[in-house]
Amino acid sequence: MILSRVLLPLALAIILAGFPRLERWFAGWEGNRTQSTHALAMLLGDSRKLLANHLFVRADVYFHSGYYPTIFDNREAYATPHIGEDAGVMDSANTGDEHVFMGPPRDWIERFGRHFFPSAHTHLGDEHCAHCEEHAHAAHEDAHAHGHAHDHDDTAGNTEEYREMLPWLRMSVAMDPQRIESYLVAAYWLRERMGREQAAEAFLREGIRANPNSHELYFEMGRIALDARGDANRARHLYDVALRKWEQSQTALAEPDFFMLAQILAYRAAADERLGRVDLAIAGLEWAENISGAKGHYRPRLERLRQQQSSAHDPDPPRDDGPAGRSQ
Amino acid sequence: MNTVFTVGAVVLKEAYRRKDVYVLFFLTVLLTLLAGTVTFFEDLSMVRLVKEIALLLIWIATLVIAVTMTARQIPMERESRTIFPLLAKPIARSELLLGKFWGCWLATGLTLLVFYAFFGVVCASREAEWAWGQYAQALVLHWAMLAVVIAMTLFGSLVFAAPSSTNTIVLVVVTGILLMGRHLGKVAMALPEPQQSILYGLYFVIPHLEFFDVRDLIVHAWPMLAWPVVGLALLYAAAYTAVFLSLAVWTFRRKSLT
């Protein structure tokens, strides 16, 4: 009786008195998800970012046809997903040899067990490790330095197989629309390896809508304009936008993303070169060379451009060494 | 032997009168077809993700069917007291147990056939090349793995009090082995003594069910396994099945049914 006559009205009074205050606090609380327009964000909160990262790594697992280290293996050669590294959008933290993360088998169970899961290094599109014997580093032209024994052959095998890793990247973006790497990597593989620049551009536009201040997305848009469309003017404009966005977002940071800045400058120099603005191209490359982590990486290009510049004033120019040495 | 087959036939009939097999099959079909209808970058020819989802569902469904069906065999007979007239006939306890094993294993085998046929159809609808040999190997290995699981469950059903506890414990153990079995040796090496020796010993004792999981090879279109390797894996499964069945028979002979 006491319970129903005293405690119940008291509890109701506390609830009614406390509700407006609690409601105001909840509306202003940072962890409040009810304001989110994204259903997954409301449902999963920040855990969707972890899930997005996992899905991104799954794309790398597919790139290696299932041959991938677990948390129990040596992951030194897989610290940075290779799909991001190959796309030239992630600075490599990989060391060691990606072929031997398992090491020699310790016992007969391990030796026998390796028959039943992918235990040899391959990449999507390769004809079952034909490339493993030849460590084709020299063919790698992305503007980043490899600190580990990572190889691939861009032209070998069935490039249509690259599509198999794209669903994971798409799902990664669905989980976390702010995950820039997923847009960049998917766009790179769509454009560069599958020749689907329209799909790549549409995906990047979606990324820009979700992340209007991302310098990386404008950089990738510039690559589509320059490499796929051959529109150097538009590419130059996009790289300028990327540079502006970089300055806005990175200069105040303790550790600015110099890797991406060097990429933007190097590609902008390539656009300048195509537009015949050799002076600007040299200036851009010198800047990139100064800030690049891989010292001397741009030196051959710089020397060639300087030669080109001096030969423009020289009445008897030296013989051109063809387009092979020009590409970035 | 005839007695074993007769008991097995009864188990098979009982299995197909129940709804759980059909429910799990239709759930697998539905989820796989749903996954198949999703397009990414307007490309319908992506197949590996669909294969991965389908195989995962098949593994979950068949594991659940095998464990739940086996776990209720002996307790159900005891609960309904049909075990007494059954044992009053000229049938040994070991024969009854082997019949139960045979019936459950055959039922899961037929279920696997249906599941893998569906998987084959899904792959055929999306891929130019049909890897029937690989699917056959996967099915045989999967069935062999289920033999170990069924024998283990049968033993568990005689040790644990109720089918629910048998289901839970066996599913946890099997999932643990599938996820961690391959890595136990590596984990053991990082531990100090005596934990290292205990874990490394356990690594050699447990049945390595992950040997029979060739889903990654199928999903990522790896070449077929060499048949001698498959043969060795089957022998390995047969050995562990025999061990668990022997333990079950030994326990059942000493068990009071009242």
Side-chain angles (χ1 to χ4, degrees):
Chain A
M1 285 302 275
I2 295 172
L3 194 77
S4 60
R5 284 188 185 171
V6 180
L7 284 182
L8 204 63
L10 191 69
L12 274 172
I14 290 170
I15 290 167
L16 288 173
F19 177 73
R21 196 182 167 83
L22 202 63
E23 208 267 337
R24 267 202 307 280
W25 171 80
F26 184 68
W29 180 44
E30 274 184 16
N32 179 6
R33 299 180 201 163
T34 54
Q35 305 297 320
S36 175
T37 50
H38 198 265
L40 282 170
M42 202 161 78
L43 201 69
L44 300 172
D46 278 348
S47 63
R48 75 204 157 94
K49 291 189 178 176
L50 284 173
L51 204 54
N53 186 51
H54 175 73
L55 294 169
F56 186 80
V57 174
R58 286 296 300 165
D60 205 33
V61 175
Y62 267 46
F63 178 53
H64 289 94
S65 295
Y67 176 78
Y68 213 74
T70 63
I71 52 167
F72 304 105
D73 295 306
N74 178 3
R75 295 173 68 91
E76 282 176 351
Y78 291 79
T80 306
H82 297 169
I83 47 168
E85 196 186 1
D86 283 358
V89 296
M90 291 170 96
D91 201 1
S92 175
N94 296 335
T95 53
D97 190 346
E98 63 185 347
H99 297 84
V100 292
F101 68 79
M102 284 189 216
R106 283 182 196 81
D107 44 63
W108 70 267
I109 291 177
E110 210 175 321
R111 190 176 300 112
F112 186 58
R114 286 186 187 182
H115 289 291
F116 303 96
F117 62 90
S119 51
H121 182 260
T122 61
H123 287 149
L124 270 185
D126 293 347
E127 294 301 331
H128 282 290
C129 210
H131 71 291
C132 284
E133 285 77 27
E134 38 185 297
H135 229 60
H137 251 299
H140 198 66
E141 286 190 294
D142 284 319
H144 62 280
H146 280 64
H148 70 132
H150 172 210
D151 66 335
H152 64 77
D153 183 351
D154 295 357
T155 54
N158 178 12
T159 54
E160 283 297 299
E161 284 191 359
Y162 294 132
R163 66 178 173 232
E164 299 293 352
M165 61 188 184
L166 295 176
W168 297 104
L169 297 171
R170 192 80 187 76
M171 288 191 280
S172 166
V173 162
M175 279 293 149
D176 181 10
Q178 270 70 51
R179 200 174 200 291
I180 306 289
E181 288 93 344
S182 301
Y183 294 106
L184 298 176
V185 171
Y188 168 79
W189 289 93
L190 279 165
R191 167 182 64 82
E192 183 74 22
R193 305 298 181 88
M194 297 172 71
R196 294 187 59 200
E197 59 268 6
Q198 264 186 330
E201 194 173 344
F203 195 48
L204 285 175
R205 281 186 192 286
E206 190 185 320
I208 289 173
R209 277 196 293 279
N211 308 276
N213 294 319
S214 162
H215 54 274
E216 297 102 324
L217 293 171
Y218 282 100
F219 163 70
E220 195 59 35
M221 284 288 274
R223 288 219 286 188
I224 292 178
L226 189 68
D227 294 347
R229 305 257 157 82
D231 187 346
N233 260 319
R234 182 171 156 68
R236 180 64 161 82
H237 168 70
L238 286 162
Y239 291 133
D240 279 343
V241 177
L243 200 57
R244 245 190 345 266
K245 301 272 181 195
W246 187 93
E247 281 163 355
Q248 283 165 9
S249 62
Q250 299 287 313
T251 42
L253 298 180
E255 285 182 22
D257 182 4
F258 284 123
F259 170 73
M260 189 48 81
L261 177 61
Q263 290 275 64
I264 296 168
L265 290 169
Y267 273 86
R268 193 175 70 157
D272 279 332
E273 192 185 342
R274 288 220 199 147
L275 292 168
R277 301 171 187 163
V278 180
D279 292 351
L280 285 174
I282 290 173
L285 272 185
E286 279 171 347
W287 189 3
E289 177 66 27
N290 282 339
I291 56 164
S292 172
K295 290 292 168 207
H297 186 75
Y298 300 108
R299 201 160 295 148
R301 266 181 78 195
L302 262 171
E303 279 167 13
R304 186 177 47 76
L305 283 172
R306 280 179 190 137
Q307 233 174 9
Q308 205 177 318
Q309 190 185 34
S310 61
S311 67
H313 305 294
D314 191 348
D316 185 21
R319 194 166 53 85
D320 192 358
D321 60 349
R326 286 181 200 152
S327 62
Q328 164 60 39
Chain B
M1 209 59 187
N2 275 344
T3 339
V4 172
F5 289 138
T6 311
V7 175
V10 174
V11 173
L12 192 64
K13 273 180 198 157
E14 182 254 326
Y16 289 101
R17 279 181 192 143
R18 293 179 71 95
K19 287 178 192 144
D20 40 4
V21 173
Y22 306 105
V23 169
L24 283 168
F25 178 68
F26 283 114
L27 213 59
T28 304
V29 170
L30 192 71
L31 290 174
T32 306
L33 292 180
L34 268 177
T37 55
V38 178
T39 57
F40 297 93
F41 299 104
E42 293 165 7
D43 191 344
L44 258 172
S45 48
M46 293 164 185
V47 67
R48 295 192 182 185
L49 180 64
V50 180
K51 277 161 87 173
E52 184 167 343
I53 291 170
L55 281 174
L56 177 69
L57 291 168
I58 289 172
W59 268 71
I60 293 172
T62 49
L63 207 55
V64 169
I65 290 168
V67 172
T68 54
M69 188 198 326
T70 313
R72 66 172 174 256
Q73 291 303 321
I74 300 295
M76 199 178 65
E77 296 279 9
R78 283 175 64 190
E79 204 175 299
S80 60
R81 298 188 173 276
T82 47
I83 200 160
F84 299 112
L86 200 59
L87 289 175
K89 294 191 169 87
I91 178 171
R93 285 191 181 196
S94 56
E95 285 175 327
L96 175 67
L97 214 57
L98 287 176
K100 293 285 184 190
F101 168 79
W102 169 244
C104 291
W105 193 44
L106 197 63
T108 50
L110 293 173
T111 312
L112 274 180
L113 264 180
V114 177
F115 273 99
Y116 274 86
F118 166 69
F119 176 72
V121 170
V122 169
C123 294
S125 69
R126 288 203 164 209
E127 274 183 322
E129 289 170 24
W130 297 359
W132 292 114
Q134 267 177 308
Y135 303 158
Q137 278 188 341
L139 190 151
V140 168
L141 287 168
H142 195 163
W143 197 30
M145 194 269 314
L146 287 177
V148 182
V149 172
I150 288 168
M152 191 193 286
T153 314
L154 213 50
F155 172 55
S157 72
L158 297 166
V159 174
F160 304 116
S164 55
S165 48
T166 311
N167 287 339
T168 312
I169 291 165
V170 172
L171 281 173
V172 167
V173 168
V174 169
T175 312
I177 291 174
L178 285 171
L179 293 177
M180 284 290 296
R182 173 148 70 97
H183 309 292
L184 270 188
K186 281 176 236 163
V187 176
M189 286 300 140
L191 293 176
E193 288 291 358
Q195 291 98 310
Q196 187 185 94
S197 299
I198 294 168
L199 198 64
Y200 207 52
L202 186 72
Y203 168 71
F204 279 98
V205 169
I206 58 165
H208 283 271
L209 301 176
E210 75 275 6
F211 287 173
F212 307 92
D213 180 4
V214 289
R215 283 179 296 151
D216 275 348
L217 298 181
I218 290 182
V219 168
H220 298 291
W222 284 79
M224 269 175 79
L225 286 168
W227 282 105
V229 171
V230 176
L232 279 174
L234 296 182
L235 273 178
Y236 182 84
Y240 270 96
T241 307
V243 168
F244 282 116
L245 278 178
S246 306
L247 283 170
V249 168
W250 184 78
T251 314
F252 194 42
R253 276 190 184 148
R254 278 152 188 77
K255 199 170 178 73
S256 162
L257 296 174
T258 50

